[in-house]
Amino acid sequence: MSTTVIRIRGLTRTFRLSTGPVHAVRGIDLTARRGEILGFLGPNGAGKTTTLRMLTTLLPPSGGEAEIAGHDLVRDPAGVRRRIGYVAQSGGLDLTCTGREELVTQGRLHRLDRATARDRAEELAGDLGLTDLLDRPAGTLSGGQRRRLEIALGLVNHPEVLFLDEPTTGLDPGSRAELWQLVGDVRDRHGTTVFLTTHYLDEADALADRVVVVDAGTVVAEGTPTELKRRHAGDPTASLQDAFLAITGRGAPEAPLAV
Amino acid sequence: MNLLTDTGVIFGRALRATLRSRTQLAFAMLQPVLFLALFGPLLTELDLGAGGSSWQVLVPGVLVQLTLLGGSFVGIGLLMDRNTGVLDRIRATPVSPLAPLLGRTLRDVVQLLAQSVVLVLLGLALGLRAPLGGVLLGLLLVGLLAAALSALSHGLAMRVRTVPEFAAVANTAAMPLMLLSGLLLPMTLAPGWLDGASRAVPLRYTVDAVREAFLGHYANGTVAAGVAVTVALAGLGLFAGALAFRRQPA
Ligand SMILES: Nc1ncnc2c1ncn2[C@@H]1O[C@H](COP(=O)(O)OP(=O)(O)OP(=O)(O)O)[C@@H](O)[C@H]1O
Ligand SMILES: [Mg+2]
């Protein structure tokens, strides 16, 4: 049995607009193993969200193929959906709904019966420290609490692969560290593969086993954070920031952390 | 089977959202209530050329107007769900692709029927007299029309990006439909050219049939045409909505 849970070959996506085609993703190849945390890095507009939307079956690819948790993305999107969790860049919370209602609904959409869905909501709330917040409308939660609820929604079906699009954008340093801890815990406890995009290099450095850097819709570098630093900044003790800038050739070395 | 369960789950979610926004519901009712209470009494002495009392003409018109104005804009809720990522979250689950459309449309029909019952009761208090069977047939037609408009509105919400864009299209479509279908006063009062133009508007057939039903006339050409047009409209609306809901091209 192979432990490769994500296998992507030549994935492309072109948006056809009246102003002309936009080649958002020009050809992405990558694989990820079971239990791996993969950091998907790249400047604004690199094609990260577009790639994630394709991998979560929300956007049909223009070309290429991908297999996720043993299911072909194009031929068996329903099989893929059963085995993934997705937290969009925009979050996906209805601020008037309580966490409990959303968690139960999400469970029902994953075809759990009512009682199981209710139990699963309680269980996740316990795991993610949301128990006391479960009956509050999402709009009354702090940014960090909302993020945890969003991730809980992505975990309802015990996914094999969890896709997180910029999970820590807008969080304070404390909440970010908490979220890293949470993502690490999920992986350690359930062997979940986590595919996360981020602009924060320290985040990739702290959390990711492997980093894939994309720019203009293609993979421009790939490796463990240490490898990338050695290869591109010439020094394993350099910051990933230096490596990133060397790879994408953008910005000044003293650019802020969020590229 | 899954489609039914999934539709039920989405329906429940949407219905709970509606029940949470009761003030909004009340405001949606305000306009038709005012029409009945403040405009209705003006008509009681007039001959509207339809036979029966003016209430049998006005109440059906107000019902269809509420359906049109309410139904055209239901898509805004869906557009919000699209922009906040709620719809993506739902569609990244194994849910049947059509359930988000059908569940919401069903909620809209149920809401509209509940509002219609309130309006009919208010009509009764003001002087409306109509046979129960006719009222039920009228509600059936209004429910079908609500399904058509709601599905179309949701389809539109899948094809535009912003609320202003949505509102521009929905308003542009709803206003002429409202004026051309003889909702407040029957088109039998209109000059020939306007009456002719209104025959191109499907809603006219619905409202005429509801009026006939309220008069207790069931087996005539007007009712048959109204039922046929409304059923066709519901089928078409759901079909167009379903097309727009298939996975997005861009
Ligand atoms: N629906 C769309 N229609 C047209 N172009 C699009 C669409 N979605 C994305 N694009 C374009 O595709 C490119 C990649 O966008 P994408 O959102 O994938 O980038 P990203 O790496 O997620 O950026 P960010 O870091 O800002 O979130 C951009 O040039 C964007 O303008
Ligand atoms: Mg993005």
Side-chain angles (χ1 to χ4, degrees), chain A residues 13 15 53 57-58 60 77 81-82 86 90-94 96-97 101-102 105-106 108-111 153, chain B residues 2 5-6 9-10 13 16 20 81 83-86 88-96 247-250:
Chain A
R13 173 70 207 201
F15 294 102
R53 286 175 53 77
T57 76
L58 294 168
R81 285 185 214 122
R82 272 197 293 280
Y86 173 50
S90 45
L93 282 186
D94 179 335
T96 64
C97 266
E101 181 183 345
E102 288 289 55
T105 304
Q106 191 79 1
R108 300 279 291 141
L109 295 174
H110 277 291
R111 308 270 159 73
L153 285 164
Chain B
N2 278 337
T5 316
D6 291 349
V9 173
I10 301 283
R13 183 178 190 280
R16 286 190 296 274
R20 270 196 300 272
D81 272 4
N83 290 340
T84 52
V86 171
D88 273 356
R89 166 163 64 77
I90 288 173
R91 299 216 304 170
T93 72
V95 67
S96 316
R247 281 193 288 141
Q248 273 158 275

Side-chain angles (χ1 to χ4, degrees), chain A residues 15 17 22 24 43-50 89 166 199, chain B residues 250:
Chain A
F15 294 102
L17 303 183
V22 178
N44 285 131
K48 303 183 297 296
T49 297
T50 305
Q89 192 166 349
E166 300 196 19
H199 290 284

Side-chain angles (χ1 to χ4, degrees), chain B residues 54-170:
Chain B
S54 65
W55 294 109
Q56 284 160 306
V57 173
L58 182 65
V59 173
V62 168
L63 289 181
V64 174
Q65 188 187 27
L66 174 69
T67 312
L68 175 62
L69 294 184
S72 316
F73 286 90
V74 292
I76 286 187
L78 177 66
L79 188 54
M80 308 278 255
D81 272 4
R82 264 185 82 202
N83 290 340
T84 52
V86 171
L87 188 65
D88 273 356
R89 166 163 64 77
I90 288 173
R91 299 216 304 170
T93 72
V95 67
S96 316
L98 284 184
L101 170 68
L102 297 180
R104 283 173 163 277
T105 301
L106 187 60
R107 185 273 314 263
D108 298 331
V109 170
V110 167
Q111 176 183 331
L112 192 272
L113 287 176
Q115 292 172 318
S116 298
V117 169
V118 173
L119 287 181
V120 169
L121 292 176
L122 178 64
L124 287 175
L126 289 169
L128 169 71
R129 293 296 171 263
L132 182 63
V135 171
L136 291 179
L137 176 59
L139 289 181
L140 177 70
L141 286 169
V142 163
L144 283 168
L145 184 65
L149 291 168
S150 157
L152 282 175
S153 184
H154 288 135
L156 175 62
M158 294 302 285
R159 294 291 148 171
V160 299
R161 283 264 146 220
T162 63
V163 172
E165 249 180 292
F166 180 95
V169 178

Side-chain angles (χ1 to χ4, degrees), chain B residues 197-214:
Chain B
S198 91
R199 286 182 195 282
V201 178
L203 251 62
R204 153 141 200 202
Y205 299 93
T206 308
V207 71
D208 281 352
V210 179
R211 283 182 177 138
E212 286 294 309
F214 271 53

